[in-house]
């Protein structure tokens, strides 16, 4: 099943591109449909979703969409140190993004 999800996610991501950044409306309508599909999967099989996101990042390490969703998933799984790592990488790309700063702060304090 992981292989099927991985192929679906990577294929759509590479075909469609992620052309959006994590500025306004993080985690909502700014993300492509394929991201929302993998997010739905993540709620049922989070460890497989983490693996799929990490494999997608191996192919597209600059994908802010994938990295944001991975950070969000880590946060939901209470893997706060891993979430912090991903938010810090995102902030290197978007240092002025106040929403990312808030998400990072919340992960650091365990909120």
């Amino acid at each position: 099943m992981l292989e099927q999800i991985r192929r679906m996610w990577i294929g759509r991501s590479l075909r469609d591109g992620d052309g959006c950044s994590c500025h306004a409306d993080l985690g909502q309508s700014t993300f492509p449909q394929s991201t929302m599909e993998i997010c739905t999967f993540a709620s049922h099989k989070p460890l497989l979703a983490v693996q799929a996101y990490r494999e997608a990042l191996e192919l597209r390490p600059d994908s802010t969409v994938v990295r944001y969703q991975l950070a969000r998933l880590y946060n939901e799984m209470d893997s706060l140190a891993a979430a912090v790592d991903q938010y810090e990488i995102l902030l290197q790309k978007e240092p002025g993004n106040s929403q990312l700063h808030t998400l990072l702060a919340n992960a650091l304090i365990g909120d």
Side-chain angles (χ1 to χ4, degrees), residues 32-76:
Q33 185 64 34
S34 59
T35 302
M36 298 313 251
E37 289 172 5
I38 201 91
C39 289
T40 300
F41 180 77
S43 68
H44 302 290
K45 304 272 187 182
L47 295 177
L48 291 178
V50 165
Q51 189 173 347
Y53 283 134
R54 295 192 66 74
E55 288 180 20
L57 283 172
E58 287 178 19
L59 294 174
R60 296 193 57 180
D62 292 333
S63 174
T64 56
V65 172
V66 175
R67 192 165 304 279
Y68 168 75
Q69 294 297 344
L70 178 59
R72 189 170 152 224
L73 179 58
Y74 278 140
N75 202 40
E76 290 172 9

Side-chain angles (χ1 to χ4, degrees), residues 21-24 26 64 87-104:
S21 73
C22 0
H23 280 291
L26 283 174
T64 56
Y87 288 133
E88 287 176 340
I89 292 168
L90 287 165
L91 280 167
Q92 290 174 2
K93 296 176 184 190
E94 298 187 33
N97 188 321
S98 61
Q99 194 165 12
L100 282 175
H101 283 282
T102 301
L103 292 167
L104 173 61

Side-chain angles (χ1 to χ4, degrees), residues 16-30:
D16 301 337
D18 64 35
C20 53
S21 73
C22 0
H23 280 291
D25 299 319
L26 283 174
Q28 296 177 22
S29 61
T30 58

Side-chain angles (χ1 to χ4, degrees), residues 75 78-85 87-88 100-111:
N75 202 40
D78 287 328
S79 296
L80 300 179
V84 165
D85 290 343
Y87 288 133
E88 287 176 340
L100 282 175
H101 283 282
T102 301
L103 292 167
L104 173 61
N106 289 339
L108 285 168
I109 62 171
D111 188 20

